[in-house]
Amino acid sequence: MEKIWDTLLHANHVGFALLDRELRLLRFSALFATWAVRPPANAQNIAESYPEVFGLEETLLQLYDQPGETLALPCVHRVGADEATHYVDLKFVAMLSTGEAEPHFLFTVTDESEKYQLRQERQQQRNEIMLLRATLGGQQQFLADSILGRSPAIARLKDLVQRLAHAPAATVLLQGESGTGKSHLARVIHYLSFATSAPFVEMNCAAIPENLLEAELFGYEKGAFTNAIKSKKGLIEEADGGTLFLDEIGELPLSLQAKLLHVLENRKFRRLGNTQEKKVQVRCLAATNRDLKAAVENKQFREDLYYRLNVVNLELPPLRDLGEDVFTLANHFLALYNLDFKKKISGFAEETKPMLRAYHWPGNVRELRNVIERAMIFCDTSEIRARDLALPLALNAITASSSPEFRLPEAGIALEEVEKSFLTQALTLAQGNKTRAAALLGLTRDTFRYRLEKYEIE
């Protein structure tokens, strides 16, 4: 019988020993000796080989007369011959007496390293998930804070974006001039609304030839057209469970606008070459710098699609209307390019601030970023100066003329005519925007308006 035990226990990688009432070793297997801290010997107390047993004598004595009862010591650490940490389970089993022999203990040692390592990995994964969930709120705040600026227009935009995070099914139309950050805002809305694993699929409707747009958007089946050698998912299908962002939606051909409307209304679509409709759960974000209302009036954009896209309308303000936010953005880009170019430029010289504030920025944030990048490349001082910015000459000229270096001609000047001329030039440079024109002359808006009224300048 003992030989059978030996064979079965060894086959299952279980070491064992037989113990008497005083916990002395009667016999033991090789695997038992493998995990002992001291080499075992017959008549030796088991606590010398397995110190974890020390102090359990009274508890084990109670088990001695209860055959079949067990006492387990799980997950005992050992360092093996491979110098790796192993985890073994120790167990006492009270045995029945056989014939005239007294009952004894069966002591088993089982290497459960793989089980405990898997358990640890699962627990680690749970901890990571909990940590991810705990940090997601902070991540969401980080995303919201990535919309830089403190002007009233930006504050309102941030508020609307936070509200949209709780309405992940709402269709959103982003409108604004080129370079105002519509693509960035679309990503912020997506990641505030969905889990990080949800897909964000972007398509620029103006960048794909019209004859390829339908296949790109809806996908196709094998053999649907020449060279369709295998089936392919479209972007609508790829975005299932997440967001489809259609940039430059105003450039979408009329022939596809009705099909897109069907998808938005019914959450269904067909691949090219297939008669079966597929269901999708996708949120649509669309962006354009075109006046879609005018396009609708000119029959260049479907009215029904316009109203379906325009569930929530977010108008991104141009940079020239954001006041002091231009400095926030400029400093942000300066910090980025300090890292990229391994420079330590501390900021902007005072002479540059009126220029940054007064410039019209037709390319908006994108243009500002390019201007700062170029300035960082050529700047060889600790601060970015006017010559580094390389803004239009007219702006440099008016900035220079307002500097302390201006000298009154010996023949004198007609002050009122000069003042009227400056007021008119400022209005022209600011394209009629009185707030920017006032900034060009270092005046408040109210003072500037007073002077316009004084000289009857329209």
Side-chain angles (χ1 to χ4, degrees):
M1 179 63 73
E2 290 184 359
K3 288 184 178 180
I4 295 175
W5 287 354
D6 286 359
T7 303
L8 288 174
L9 292 172
H10 187 82
N12 288 281
H13 306 288
V14 178
F16 75 93
L18 293 178
L19 313 175
D20 64 14
R21 186 185 185 92
E22 281 71 37
L23 304 182
R24 291 174 299 201
L25 296 173
L26 301 177
R27 61 183 298 264
F28 53 87
S29 69
L31 284 177
F32 170 89
T34 299
W35 304 112
V37 296
R38 285 183 58 187
N42 289 337
Q44 176 181 299
N45 191 287
I46 192 172
E48 296 184 42
S49 298
Y50 287 85
E52 294 82 6
V53 176
F54 185 79
L56 297 177
E57 290 83 2
E58 290 187 11
T59 302
L60 290 170
L61 191 60
Q62 294 173 9
L63 294 180
Y64 189 75
D65 296 322
Q66 302 179 50
E69 292 297 317
T70 63
L71 175 66
L73 299 175
C75 200
V76 173
H77 291 212
R78 285 288 188 275
V79 177
D82 55 0
E83 298 186 352
T85 300
H86 292 257
Y87 304 91
V88 297
D89 286 349
L90 310 181
K91 183 183 289 186
F92 287 93
V93 182
M95 304 291 291
L96 286 167
S97 61
T98 57
E100 296 181 357
E102 289 190 4
H104 49 253
F105 287 111
L106 174 66
F107 180 82
T108 62
V109 185
T110 310
D111 186 1
E112 297 285 10
S113 298
E114 185 175 353
K115 179 183 77 174
Y116 286 113
Q117 284 168 356
L118 287 173
R119 188 178 295 176
Q120 280 188 334
E121 289 174 7
R122 285 198 299 271
Q123 187 59 46
Q124 179 67 21
Q125 289 172 353
R126 291 192 192 101
N127 292 341
E128 289 175 359
I129 290 171
M130 291 175 64
L131 181 62
L132 181 62
R133 287 174 177 170
T135 58
L136 187 57
Q139 178 71 5
Q140 288 180 324
Q141 187 59 46
F142 171 78
L143 287 169
D145 291 344
S146 71
I147 306 172
L148 300 177
R150 297 182 179 179
S151 63
I154 293 298
R156 179 176 177 275
L157 192 63
K158 287 182 178 180
D159 179 64
L160 291 173
V161 168
Q162 291 283 12
R163 291 171 184 265
L164 284 171
H166 303 292
T171 303
V172 183
L173 179 61
L174 307 174
Q175 292 187 283
E177 296 179 8
S178 178
T180 50
K182 297 184 290 295
S183 179
H184 173 72
L185 189 63
R187 290 180 180 276
V188 170
I189 293 171
H190 166 77
Y191 287 112
L192 284 174
S193 304
F194 293 100
T196 53
S197 59
F200 178 86
V201 178
E202 180 175 357
M203 185 180 83
N204 189 318
C205 300
I208 300 174
E210 184 174 343
N211 61 329
L212 298 179
L213 263 175
E214 185 173 6
E216 190 72 17
L217 197 55
F218 294 92
Y220 53 83
E221 298 292 349
K222 180 180 178 181
F225 50 83
T226 306
N227 297 327
I229 58 175
K230 63 179 180 178
S231 299
K232 180 180 181 296
K233 286 184 179 181
L235 297 182
I236 292 173
E237 195 171 351
E238 293 284 359
D240 190 16
T243 298
L244 175 66
F245 174 48
L246 299 175
D247 201 5
E248 303 295 347
I249 188 69
E251 306 303 321
L252 191 69
L254 283 167
S255 59
L256 288 182
Q257 290 180 21
K259 294 185 177 183
L260 177 61
L261 178 63
H262 175 78
V263 176
L264 298 180
E265 292 284 0
N266 303 294
R267 306 294 181 185
K268 296 179 181 179
F269 76 101
R270 289 191 189 96
R271 287 184 183 179
L272 292 179
N274 197 329
T275 58
Q276 297 289 327
E277 283 194 322
K278 290 191 174 187
K279 290 185 177 181
V280 286
Q281 193 63 39
V282 62
R283 179 197 210 162
C284 183
L285 303 180
T288 182
N289 57 14
R290 288 183 62 186
D291 185 346
L292 286 189
K293 279 190 176 181
V296 168
E297 292 172 1
N298 295 328
K299 308 298 182 184
Q300 296 174 334
F301 200 85
R302 290 181 63 101
E303 185 176 18
D304 48 5
L305 179 58
Y306 170 70
Y307 287 115
R308 186 63 187 82
L309 291 171
N310 200 31
V311 175
V312 178
N313 187 302
L314 294 185
E315 185 75 31
L316 279 72
L319 181 57
R320 59 183 171 274
D321 290 345
L322 298 183
E324 301 298 308
D325 284 352
V326 67
F327 304 128
T328 301
L329 289 163
N331 283 307
H332 170 71
F333 294 136
L334 182 140
L336 286 180
Y337 290 120
N338 262 331
L339 292 174
D340 284 354
F341 301 145
K342 296 180 174 56
K343 289 191 173 184
K344 295 182 180 180
I345 296 174
S346 59
F348 296 86
E350 284 299 319
E351 67 192 52
T352 64
K353 294 179 180 180
M355 298 173 63
L356 291 171
R357 182 67 180 80
Y359 183 52
H360 185 62
W361 298 111
N364 293 292
V365 178
R366 184 182 293 119
E367 182 183 9
L368 174 64
R369 181 172 189 148
N370 293 340
V371 165
I372 302 303
E373 181 179 9
R374 183 174 61 244
M376 292 287 291
I377 292 171
F378 294 105
C379 180
D380 54 6
T381 59
S382 62
E383 290 184 320
I384 291 179
R385 305 188 68 82
R387 66 173 182 270
D388 301 316
L389 290 176
L391 288 173
L393 293 176
L395 186 62
N396 287 311
I398 194 167
T399 305
S401 68
S402 59
S403 70
E405 296 179 2
F406 178 80
R407 294 290 183 269
L408 182 68
E410 292 184 4
I413 58 171
L415 184 58
E416 288 190 0
E417 292 302 319
V418 171
E419 187 174 5
K420 287 169 64 176
S421 175
F422 275 124
L423 292 171
T424 303
Q425 288 182 56
L427 274 174
T428 300
L429 283 169
Q431 298 188 355
N433 186 301
K434 293 178 182 177
T435 301
R436 294 196 307 278
L440 284 170
L441 298 174
L443 303 175
T444 66
R445 179 181 169 85
D446 289 340
T447 303
F448 184 76
R449 291 181 62 184
Y450 166 77
R451 293 177 183 273
L452 291 180
E453 293 172 3
K454 174 182 175 181
Y455 294 115
E456 298 181 349
I457 298 174
E458 296 295 331

